Amino acid sequence: MVEAVGLGINTRKRAAIAFYIALLSIGSLLAGCQGRERNGIVVAGSTSVQPYAEVLAEEFAVMYPESSIDVQGGGSSAGITAATSGTADIGMSSRELSEKEQHLWSKEIAKDGLAIIVHPDNPLRSLSLEQISLIYSGQATKWSDVGGSSESKIHIVTREEGSGTRSAFSDLVMGDVEISPRAIVQDSNGAVKQLISDDLNSIGFLSLGLVDDSVKALMLNGVKATKENIINGSYGLFRPFLFVVNGEPTDLALEFIDFAVSEQGREILSTEGLIAEE
């Protein structure tokens, strides 16, 4: 009888231990899932979107310090390709998706103006779309050809093929006309701005939100390049900033995108110079 009772106690102990181990296993599994969801994501693509995504990632990290958002450049086309292949969780694009890219999920986080920039000491104040096209096609080679007082040769600066900024410029300004092969090609907005700030006779284009005192944004047909003029429709050079995902975003990618388009995210982007309206 005593032996039987002992066996019963041992059985109950074994059952309790097994139940405890099961609880620990379930807890570890759930913790592991949560860890994978917040482990980290890669956001890659447009160098125009990149600095704004980095600001968003910094603010997101304050809210979720256990998460990791790795923001990388490479250009819009590279970002879309990375999102398509899964190399990046989110691709960044500063141009509309092409017809063959329409199968991808995308979200506009803001709009950005496209500024035509020159050296601050360049006396020119305004150009028309036609004059800009003449310059970039190579038909207007001197500043005097487009209303300037100087006979100096214009140094054209452009972005590389695959750049969303270049694609937007080509669509909005050039149409079917090709950019001159003599244009100086730079691989980022920062490089364009640096080159323009160092060369009195250069002209380039970049994100309006990145314009500072080192360069001068020209007016377009007498209209200043400002957020207000983009909103009221008087300044027509602007493009979308997109987050792109191959399929519906989930887990940390979804949380980061939701943060970008939340009231807090839009306020951050607006403060940084973008047009981020609900």
Side-chain angles (χ1 to χ4, degrees):
M1 183 70 177
V2 174
E3 184 179 1
V5 172
L7 287 173
I9 292 173
N10 288 337
T11 300
R12 287 196 295 275
K13 283 183 178 179
R14 287 196 296 269
I17 291 170
F19 179 69
Y20 179 69
I21 291 173
L23 285 178
L24 288 177
S25 299
I26 293 171
S28 298
L29 180 61
L30 290 174
C33 290
Q34 291 171 352
R36 284 195 296 273
E37 289 176 357
R38 291 197 179 277
N39 184 37
I41 59 172
V42 173
V43 182
S46 168
T47 59
S48 295
V49 183
Q50 183 181 359
Y52 305 102
E54 288 172 344
V55 173
L56 289 171
E58 289 172 3
E59 294 297 325
F60 189 82
V62 173
M63 299 167 56
Y64 304 106
E66 73 280 14
S67 64
S68 173
I69 312 291
D70 181 12
V71 182
Q72 305 172 7
S76 294
S77 294
I80 292 170
T81 299
T84 303
S85 66
T87 307
D89 300 276
I90 300 173
M92 300 180 289
S93 176
S94 54
R95 62 169 173 80
E96 295 283 4
L97 297 181
S98 67
E99 186 175 347
K100 65 179 181 180
E101 297 164 345
Q102 289 296 322
H103 66 283
L104 297 168
W105 184 95
S106 66
K107 184 71 173 181
E108 182 180 295
I109 63 168
K111 288 183 174 65
D112 178 50
L114 194 64
I116 309 301
I117 60 170
V118 294
H119 190 278
D121 293 337
N122 189 320
L124 196 67
R125 299 180 64 241
S126 179
L127 288 173
S128 66
L129 282 178
E130 182 181 5
Q131 287 173 321
I132 299 168
S133 179
L134 288 173
I135 290 171
Y136 270 86
S137 65
Q139 297 180 66
T141 61
K142 298 179 296 184
W143 288 109
S144 58
D145 294 337
V146 289
S149 58
S150 173
E151 293 296 319
S152 297
K153 184 178 180 181
I154 302 172
H155 301 154
I156 309 167
V157 182
T158 187
R159 287 292 306 279
E160 78 284 5
E161 293 284 355
S163 157
T165 309
R166 175 167 175 154
S167 176
F169 177 81
S170 294
D171 290 343
L172 295 169
V173 177
M174 304 302 291
D176 295 329
V177 180
E178 294 292 328
I179 293 176
S180 170
R182 70 180 181 84
I184 303 167
V185 179
Q186 297 294 298
D187 62 2
S188 70
N189 278 286
V192 170
K193 185 165 67 171
Q194 183 62 54
L195 191 56
I196 301 299
S197 68
D198 291 337
D199 183 359
L200 179 61
N201 291 307
S202 62
I203 186 170
F205 53 85
L206 83 169
S207 168
L208 177 59
L210 299 178
V211 173
D212 56 27
D213 292 340
S214 68
V215 295
K216 180 170 73 175
L218 293 177
M219 291 187 285
L220 182 65
N221 294 320
V223 178
K224 289 184 177 180
T226 64
K227 289 171 57 177
E228 293 71 24
N229 287 338
I230 290 172
I231 292 171
N232 66 33
S234 59
Y235 186 86
L237 297 184
F238 62 91
R239 68 298 187 36
F241 277 1
L242 306 177
F243 278 169
V244 181
V245 180
N246 190 6
E248 289 285 336
T250 59
D251 302 331
L252 187 56
L254 177 60
E255 292 181 45
F256 184 58
I257 293 170
D258 284 346
F259 172 70
V261 297
S262 68
E263 183 176 352
Q264 182 180 354
R266 293 196 307 272
E267 183 176 344
I268 291 169
L269 295 175
S270 294
T271 301
E272 293 296 320
L274 298 182
I275 302 167
E277 299 182 331
E278 191 171 9

PDB file of all heavy atoms in Angstrom, residues 11-42:
ATOM      1  N   THR A  11       4.551   9.797  -9.788  1.00  0.00           N
ATOM      2  CA  THR A  11       3.861  10.079 -11.049  1.00  0.00           C
ATOM      3  C   THR A  11       3.416  11.531 -11.113  1.00  0.00           C
ATOM      4  O   THR A  11       3.569  12.213 -12.134  1.00  0.00           O
ATOM      5  CB  THR A  11       2.632   9.161 -11.200  1.00  0.00           C
ATOM      6  OG1 THR A  11       3.078   7.820 -11.193  1.00  0.00           O
ATOM      7  CG2 THR A  11       1.896   9.440 -12.511  1.00  0.00           C
ATOM      8  N   ARG A  12       2.878  11.998  -9.957  1.00  0.00           N
ATOM      9  CA  ARG A  12       2.430  13.396  -9.918  1.00  0.00           C
ATOM     10  C   ARG A  12       3.608  14.345 -10.072  1.00  0.00           C
ATOM     11  O   ARG A  12       3.533  15.379 -10.742  1.00  0.00           O
ATOM     12  CB  ARG A  12       1.679  13.675  -8.614  1.00  0.00           C
ATOM     13  CG  ARG A  12       0.280  13.051  -8.567  1.00  0.00           C
ATOM     14  CD  ARG A  12      -0.549  13.661  -7.458  1.00  0.00           C
ATOM     15  NE  ARG A  12      -0.010  13.355  -6.138  1.00  0.00           N
ATOM     16  CZ  ARG A  12      -0.278  12.243  -5.450  1.00  0.00           C
ATOM     17  NH1 ARG A  12      -1.087  11.319  -5.965  1.00  0.00           N
ATOM     18  NH2 ARG A  12       0.236  12.045  -4.243  1.00  0.00           N
ATOM     19  N   LYS A  13       4.749  14.001  -9.459  1.00  0.00           N
ATOM     20  CA  LYS A  13       5.931  14.843  -9.587  1.00  0.00           C
ATOM     21  C   LYS A  13       6.408  14.914 -11.031  1.00  0.00           C
ATOM     22  O   LYS A  13       6.746  15.980 -11.540  1.00  0.00           O
ATOM     23  CB  LYS A  13       7.058  14.301  -8.705  1.00  0.00           C
ATOM     24  CG  LYS A  13       6.894  14.609  -7.230  1.00  0.00           C
ATOM     25  CD  LYS A  13       8.096  14.085  -6.454  1.00  0.00           C
ATOM     26  CE  LYS A  13       7.974  14.435  -4.968  1.00  0.00           C
ATOM     27  NZ  LYS A  13       9.136  13.913  -4.201  1.00  0.00           N
ATOM     28  N   ARG A  14       6.422  13.741 -11.669  1.00  0.00           N
ATOM     29  CA  ARG A  14       6.876  13.717 -13.064  1.00  0.00           C
ATOM     30  C   ARG A  14       5.957  14.539 -13.955  1.00  0.00           C
ATOM     31  O   ARG A  14       6.403  15.248 -14.862  1.00  0.00           O
ATOM     32  CB  ARG A  14       6.956  12.267 -13.561  1.00  0.00           C
ATOM     33  CG  ARG A  14       8.135  11.484 -12.993  1.00  0.00           C
ATOM     34  CD  ARG A  14       8.381  10.223 -13.788  1.00  0.00           C
ATOM     35  NE  ARG A  14       7.248   9.320 -13.685  1.00  0.00           N
ATOM     36  CZ  ARG A  14       7.141   8.372 -12.748  1.00  0.00           C
ATOM     37  NH1 ARG A  14       8.095   8.209 -11.834  1.00  0.00           N
ATOM     38  NH2 ARG A  14       6.102   7.579 -12.717  1.00  0.00           N
ATOM     39  N   ALA A  15       4.668  14.434 -13.690  1.00  0.00           N
ATOM     40  CA  ALA A  15       3.698  15.190 -14.483  1.00  0.00           C
ATOM     41  C   ALA A  15       3.876  16.694 -14.291  1.00  0.00           C
ATOM     42  O   ALA A  15       3.822  17.480 -15.231  1.00  0.00           O
ATOM     43  CB  ALA A  15       2.271  14.779 -14.113  1.00  0.00           C
ATOM     44  N   ALA A  16       4.117  17.085 -13.014  1.00  0.00           N
ATOM     45  CA  ALA A  16       4.298  18.506 -12.721  1.00  0.00           C
ATOM     46  C   ALA A  16       5.550  19.043 -13.395  1.00  0.00           C
ATOM     47  O   ALA A  16       5.560  20.152 -13.942  1.00  0.00           O
ATOM     48  CB  ALA A  16       4.384  18.711 -11.205  1.00  0.00           C
ATOM     49  N   ILE A  17       6.624  18.240 -13.341  1.00  0.00           N
ATOM     50  CA  ILE A  17       7.877  18.661 -13.974  1.00  0.00           C
ATOM     51  C   ILE A  17       7.703  18.785 -15.481  1.00  0.00           C
ATOM     52  O   ILE A  17       8.164  19.743 -16.105  1.00  0.00           O
ATOM     53  CB  ILE A  17       9.005  17.660 -13.639  1.00  0.00           C
ATOM     54  CG1 ILE A  17       9.361  17.762 -12.148  1.00  0.00           C
ATOM     55  CG2 ILE A  17      10.246  17.935 -14.483  1.00  0.00           C
ATOM     56  CD1 ILE A  17      10.284  16.655 -11.675  1.00  0.00           C
ATOM     57  N   ALA A  18       7.025  17.824 -16.087  1.00  0.00           N
ATOM     58  CA  ALA A  18       6.793  17.855 -17.533  1.00  0.00           C
ATOM     59  C   ALA A  18       5.974  19.073 -17.931  1.00  0.00           C
ATOM     60  O   ALA A  18       6.238  19.737 -18.937  1.00  0.00           O
ATOM     61  CB  ALA A  18       6.084  16.584 -17.978  1.00  0.00           C
ATOM     62  N   PHE A  19       4.965  19.409 -17.086  1.00  0.00           N
ATOM     63  CA  PHE A  19       4.118  20.570 -17.367  1.00  0.00           C
ATOM     64  C   PHE A  19       4.938  21.860 -17.276  1.00  0.00           C
ATOM     65  O   PHE A  19       4.823  22.769 -18.105  1.00  0.00           O
ATOM     66  CB  PHE A  19       2.957  20.602 -16.366  1.00  0.00           C
ATOM     67  CG  PHE A  19       2.027  21.788 -16.547  1.00  0.00           C
ATOM     68  CD1 PHE A  19       1.207  21.878 -17.667  1.00  0.00           C
ATOM     69  CD2 PHE A  19       1.987  22.805 -15.606  1.00  0.00           C
ATOM     70  CE1 PHE A  19       0.364  22.955 -17.844  1.00  0.00           C
ATOM     71  CE2 PHE A  19       1.144  23.886 -15.781  1.00  0.00           C
ATOM     72  CZ  PHE A  19       0.329  23.957 -16.896  1.00  0.00           C
ATOM     73  N   TYR A  20       5.822  21.925 -16.265  1.00  0.00           N
ATOM     74  CA  TYR A  20       6.673  23.103 -16.073  1.00  0.00           C
ATOM     75  C   TYR A  20       7.614  23.288 -17.263  1.00  0.00           C
ATOM     76  O   TYR A  20       7.796  24.399 -17.772  1.00  0.00           O
ATOM     77  CB  TYR A  20       7.470  22.944 -14.785  1.00  0.00           C
ATOM     78  CG  TYR A  20       8.396  24.103 -14.498  1.00  0.00           C
ATOM     79  CD1 TYR A  20       7.904  25.360 -14.163  1.00  0.00           C
ATOM     80  CD2 TYR A  20       9.775  23.923 -14.574  1.00  0.00           C
ATOM     81  CE1 TYR A  20       8.759  26.409 -13.912  1.00  0.00           C
ATOM     82  CE2 TYR A  20      10.639  24.979 -14.323  1.00  0.00           C
ATOM     83  CZ  TYR A  20      10.120  26.215 -13.987  1.00  0.00           C
ATOM     84  OH  TYR A  20      10.983  27.259 -13.734  1.00  0.00           O
ATOM     85  N   ILE A  21       8.199  22.168 -17.713  1.00  0.00           N
ATOM     86  CA  ILE A  21       9.100  22.228 -18.868  1.00  0.00           C
ATOM     87  C   ILE A  21       8.355  22.680 -20.115  1.00  0.00           C
ATOM     88  O   ILE A  21       8.849  23.470 -20.923  1.00  0.00           O
ATOM     89  CB  ILE A  21       9.764  20.849 -19.096  1.00  0.00           C
ATOM     90  CG1 ILE A  21      10.734  20.551 -17.948  1.00  0.00           C
ATOM     91  CG2 ILE A  21      10.512  20.815 -20.432  1.00  0.00           C
ATOM     92  CD1 ILE A  21      11.303  19.137 -17.987  1.00  0.00           C
ATOM     93  N   ALA A  22       7.124  22.207 -20.260  1.00  0.00           N
ATOM     94  CA  ALA A  22       6.309  22.598 -21.415  1.00  0.00           C
ATOM     95  C   ALA A  22       6.039  24.096 -21.406  1.00  0.00           C
ATOM     96  O   ALA A  22       6.095  24.770 -22.438  1.00  0.00           O
ATOM     97  CB  ALA A  22       4.989  21.825 -21.416  1.00  0.00           C
ATOM     98  N   LEU A  23       5.745  24.643 -20.203  1.00  0.00           N
ATOM     99  CA  LEU A  23       5.501  26.082 -20.090  1.00  0.00           C
ATOM    100  C   LEU A  23       6.743  26.877 -20.472  1.00  0.00           C
ATOM    101  O   LEU A  23       6.671  27.891 -21.171  1.00  0.00           O
ATOM    102  CB  LEU A  23       5.086  26.444 -18.661  1.00  0.00           C
ATOM    103  CG  LEU A  23       3.661  26.080 -18.232  1.00  0.00           C
ATOM    104  CD1 LEU A  23       3.437  26.462 -16.772  1.00  0.00           C
ATOM    105  CD2 LEU A  23       2.633  26.777 -19.113  1.00  0.00           C
ATOM    106  N   LEU A  24       7.912  26.391 -19.996  1.00  0.00           N
ATOM    107  CA  LEU A  24       9.154  27.067 -20.343  1.00  0.00           C
ATOM    108  C   LEU A  24       9.394  27.040 -21.844  1.00  0.00           C
ATOM    109  O   LEU A  24       9.839  28.024 -22.437  1.00  0.00           O
ATOM    110  CB  LEU A  24      10.334  26.396 -19.622  1.00  0.00           C
ATOM    111  CG  LEU A  24      10.431  26.635 -18.107  1.00  0.00           C
ATOM    112  CD1 LEU A  24      11.611  25.846 -17.538  1.00  0.00           C
ATOM    113  CD2 LEU A  24      10.624  28.118 -17.809  1.00  0.00           C
ATOM    114  N   SER A  25       9.076  25.911 -22.478  1.00  0.00           N
ATOM    115  CA  SER A  25       9.283  25.775 -23.927  1.00  0.00           C
ATOM    116  C   SER A  25       8.386  26.717 -24.705  1.00  0.00           C
ATOM    117  O   SER A  25       8.807  27.368 -25.661  1.00  0.00           O
ATOM    118  CB  SER A  25       9.016  24.321 -24.356  1.00  0.00           C
ATOM    119  OG  SER A  25       9.916  23.449 -23.707  1.00  0.00           O
ATOM    120  N   ILE A  26       7.121  26.801 -24.256  1.00  0.00           N
ATOM    121  CA  ILE A  26       6.182  27.698 -24.933  1.00  0.00           C
ATOM    122  C   ILE A  26       6.630  29.146 -24.771  1.00  0.00           C
ATOM    123  O   ILE A  26       6.610  29.944 -25.706  1.00  0.00           O
ATOM    124  CB  ILE A  26       4.753  27.511 -24.375  1.00  0.00           C
ATOM    125  CG1 ILE A  26       4.229  26.119 -24.755  1.00  0.00           C
ATOM    126  CG2 ILE A  26       3.821  28.604 -24.890  1.00  0.00           C
ATOM    127  CD1 ILE A  26       2.923  25.765 -24.084  1.00  0.00           C
ATOM    128  N   GLY A  27       7.082  29.499 -23.532  1.00  0.00           N
ATOM    129  CA  GLY A  27       7.557  30.856 -23.291  1.00  0.00           C
ATOM    130  C   GLY A  27       8.752  31.197 -24.155  1.00  0.00           C
ATOM    131  O   GLY A  27       8.837  32.282 -24.714  1.00  0.00           O
ATOM    132  N   SER A  28       9.672  30.250 -24.285  1.00  0.00           N
ATOM    133  CA  SER A  28      10.856  30.476 -25.117  1.00  0.00           C
ATOM    134  C   SER A  28      10.480  30.628 -26.570  1.00  0.00           C
ATOM    135  O   SER A  28      11.027  31.462 -27.297  1.00  0.00           O
ATOM    136  CB  SER A  28      11.849  29.309 -24.957  1.00  0.00           C
ATOM    137  OG  SER A  28      12.295  29.230 -23.617  1.00  0.00           O
ATOM    138  N   LEU A  29       9.519  29.829 -27.037  1.00  0.00           N
ATOM    139  CA  LEU A  29       9.075  29.896 -28.422  1.00  0.00           C
ATOM    140  C   LEU A  29       8.446  31.243 -28.729  1.00  0.00           C
ATOM    141  O   LEU A  29       8.733  31.878 -29.740  1.00  0.00           O
ATOM    142  CB  LEU A  29       8.073  28.766 -28.703  1.00  0.00           C
ATOM    143  CG  LEU A  29       7.499  28.695 -30.122  1.00  0.00           C
ATOM    144  CD1 LEU A  29       8.638  28.472 -31.112  1.00  0.00           C
ATOM    145  CD2 LEU A  29       6.468  27.590 -30.223  1.00  0.00           C
ATOM    146  N   LEU A  30       7.579  31.710 -27.783  1.00  0.00           N
ATOM    147  CA  LEU A  30       6.937  33.010 -27.989  1.00  0.00           C
ATOM    148  C   LEU A  30       7.957  34.131 -27.972  1.00  0.00           C
ATOM    149  O   LEU A  30       7.899  35.056 -28.787  1.00  0.00           O
ATOM    150  CB  LEU A  30       5.882  33.256 -26.900  1.00  0.00           C
ATOM    151  CG  LEU A  30       4.622  32.376 -26.969  1.00  0.00           C
ATOM    152  CD1 LEU A  30       3.744  32.638 -25.757  1.00  0.00           C
ATOM    153  CD2 LEU A  30       3.851  32.640 -28.256  1.00  0.00           C
ATOM    154  N   ALA A  31       8.903  34.052 -27.042  1.00  0.00           N
ATOM    155  CA  ALA A  31       9.952  35.072 -26.987  1.00  0.00           C
ATOM    156  C   ALA A  31      10.767  35.066 -28.254  1.00  0.00           C
ATOM    157  O   ALA A  31      11.149  36.114 -28.781  1.00  0.00           O
ATOM    158  CB  ALA A  31      10.857  34.834 -25.781  1.00  0.00           C
ATOM    159  N   GLY A  32      11.026  33.897 -28.785  1.00  0.00           N
ATOM    160  CA  GLY A  32      11.792  33.783 -30.023  1.00  0.00           C
ATOM    161  C   GLY A  32      11.051  34.385 -31.183  1.00  0.00           C
ATOM    162  O   GLY A  32      11.642  35.085 -32.016  1.00  0.00           O
ATOM    163  N   CYS A  33       9.735  34.159 -31.246  1.00  0.00           N
ATOM    164  CA  CYS A  33       8.934  34.733 -32.330  1.00  0.00           C
ATOM    165  C   CYS A  33       8.945  36.255 -32.253  1.00  0.00           C
ATOM    166  O   CYS A  33       9.106  36.939 -33.257  1.00  0.00           O
ATOM    167  CB  CYS A  33       7.488  34.229 -32.249  1.00  0.00           C
ATOM    168  SG  CYS A  33       7.311  32.476 -32.677  1.00  0.00           S
ATOM    169  N   GLN A  34       8.775  36.762 -30.985  1.00  0.00           N
ATOM    170  CA  GLN A  34       8.783  38.211 -30.838  1.00  0.00           C
ATOM    171  C   GLN A  34      10.144  38.774 -31.207  1.00  0.00           C
ATOM    172  O   GLN A  34      10.250  39.833 -31.823  1.00  0.00           O
ATOM    173  CB  GLN A  34       8.428  38.571 -29.394  1.00  0.00           C
ATOM    174  CG  GLN A  34       6.970  38.251 -29.048  1.00  0.00           C
ATOM    175  CD  GLN A  34       6.691  38.417 -27.565  1.00  0.00           C
ATOM    176  OE1 GLN A  34       7.605  38.620 -26.771  1.00  0.00           O
ATOM    177  NE2 GLN A  34       5.435  38.316 -27.185  1.00  0.00           N
ATOM    178  N   GLY A  35      11.188  38.045 -30.861  1.00  0.00           N
ATOM    179  CA  GLY A  35      12.529  38.491 -31.196  1.00  0.00           C
ATOM    180  C   GLY A  35      12.740  38.542 -32.683  1.00  0.00           C
ATOM    181  O   GLY A  35      13.345  39.464 -33.208  1.00  0.00           O
ATOM    182  N   ARG A  36      12.197  37.549 -33.406  1.00  0.00           N
ATOM    183  CA  ARG A  36      12.359  37.543 -34.860  1.00  0.00           C
ATOM    184  C   ARG A  36      11.575  38.680 -35.492  1.00  0.00           C
ATOM    185  O   ARG A  36      12.025  39.313 -36.439  1.00  0.00           O
ATOM    186  CB  ARG A  36      11.915  36.193 -35.428  1.00  0.00           C
ATOM    187  CG  ARG A  36      12.923  35.079 -35.209  1.00  0.00           C
ATOM    188  CD  ARG A  36      12.587  33.889 -36.093  1.00  0.00           C
ATOM    189  NE  ARG A  36      11.306  33.298 -35.753  1.00  0.00           N
ATOM    190  CZ  ARG A  36      11.142  32.356 -34.821  1.00  0.00           C
ATOM    191  NH1 ARG A  36      12.176  31.951 -34.110  1.00  0.00           N
ATOM    192  NH2 ARG A  36       9.964  31.850 -34.581  1.00  0.00           N
ATOM    193  N   GLU A  37      10.378  38.957 -34.942  1.00  0.00           N
ATOM    194  CA  GLU A  37       9.567  40.028 -35.505  1.00  0.00           C
ATOM    195  C   GLU A  37      10.270  41.384 -35.358  1.00  0.00           C
ATOM    196  O   GLU A  37      10.202  42.220 -36.224  1.00  0.00           O
ATOM    197  CB  GLU A  37       8.205  40.074 -34.810  1.00  0.00           C
ATOM    198  CG  GLU A  37       7.295  38.895 -35.186  1.00  0.00           C
ATOM    199  CD  GLU A  37       6.005  38.920 -34.409  1.00  0.00           C
ATOM    200  OE1 GLU A  37       5.844  39.809 -33.555  1.00  0.00           O
ATOM    201  OE2 GLU A  37       5.152  38.054 -34.639  1.00  0.00           O
ATOM    202  N   ARG A  38      10.955  41.579 -34.233  1.00  0.00           N
ATOM    203  CA  ARG A  38      11.604  42.860 -33.978  1.00  0.00           C
ATOM    204  C   ARG A  38      13.118  42.780 -34.163  1.00  0.00           C
ATOM    205  O   ARG A  38      13.839  43.670 -33.774  1.00  0.00           O
ATOM    206  CB  ARG A  38      11.289  43.323 -32.557  1.00  0.00           C
ATOM    207  CG  ARG A  38       9.836  43.707 -32.363  1.00  0.00           C
ATOM    208  CD  ARG A  38       9.696  44.535 -31.095  1.00  0.00           C
ATOM    209  NE  ARG A  38       8.323  44.944 -30.892  1.00  0.00           N
ATOM    210  CZ  ARG A  38       7.772  45.995 -31.479  1.00  0.00           C
ATOM    211  NH1 ARG A  38       8.476  46.710 -32.307  1.00  0.00           N
ATOM    212  NH2 ARG A  38       6.523  46.316 -31.238  1.00  0.00           N
ATOM    213  N   ASN A  39      13.586  41.688 -34.724  1.00  0.00           N
ATOM    214  CA  ASN A  39      15.031  41.492 -34.844  1.00  0.00           C
ATOM    215  C   ASN A  39      15.682  42.596 -35.662  1.00  0.00           C
ATOM    216  O   ASN A  39      16.740  43.099 -35.311  1.00  0.00           O
ATOM    217  CB  ASN A  39      15.312  40.124 -35.477  1.00  0.00           C
ATOM    218  CG  ASN A  39      16.787  39.827 -35.549  1.00  0.00           C
ATOM    219  OD1 ASN A  39      17.529  40.184 -34.644  1.00  0.00           O
ATOM    220  ND2 ASN A  39      17.201  39.189 -36.621  1.00  0.00           N
ATOM    221  N   GLY A  40      15.069  42.985 -36.765  1.00  0.00           N
ATOM    222  CA  GLY A  40      15.612  44.057 -37.581  1.00  0.00           C
ATOM    223  C   GLY A  40      15.211  43.912 -39.030  1.00  0.00           C
ATOM    224  O   GLY A  40      14.898  42.814 -39.497  1.00  0.00           O
ATOM    225  N   ILE A  41      15.196  45.029 -39.738  1.00  0.00           N
ATOM    226  CA  ILE A  41      14.873  45.031 -41.159  1.00  0.00           C
ATOM    227  C   ILE A  41      15.860  45.922 -41.904  1.00  0.00           C
ATOM    228  O   ILE A  41      16.509  46.790 -41.313  1.00  0.00           O
ATOM    229  CB  ILE A  41      13.431  45.524 -41.429  1.00  0.00           C
ATOM    230  CG1 ILE A  41      13.233  46.948 -40.876  1.00  0.00           C
ATOM    231  CG2 ILE A  41      12.406  44.555 -40.871  1.00  0.00           C
ATOM    232  CD1 ILE A  41      11.909  47.577 -41.279  1.00  0.00           C
ATOM    233  N   VAL A  42      15.954  45.687 -43.204  1.00  0.00           N
ATOM    234  CA  VAL A  42      16.787  46.492 -44.079  1.00  0.00           C
ATOM    235  C   VAL A  42      15.875  47.344 -44.963  1.00  0.00           C
ATOM    236  O   VAL A  42      14.942  46.831 -45.585  1.00  0.00           O
ATOM    237  CB  VAL A  42      17.702  45.623 -44.954  1.00  0.00           C
ATOM    238  CG1 VAL A  42      18.444  46.475 -45.985  1.00  0.00           C
ATOM    239  CG2 VAL A  42      18.700  44.857 -44.085  1.00  0.00           C
TER     240      VAL A  42
END
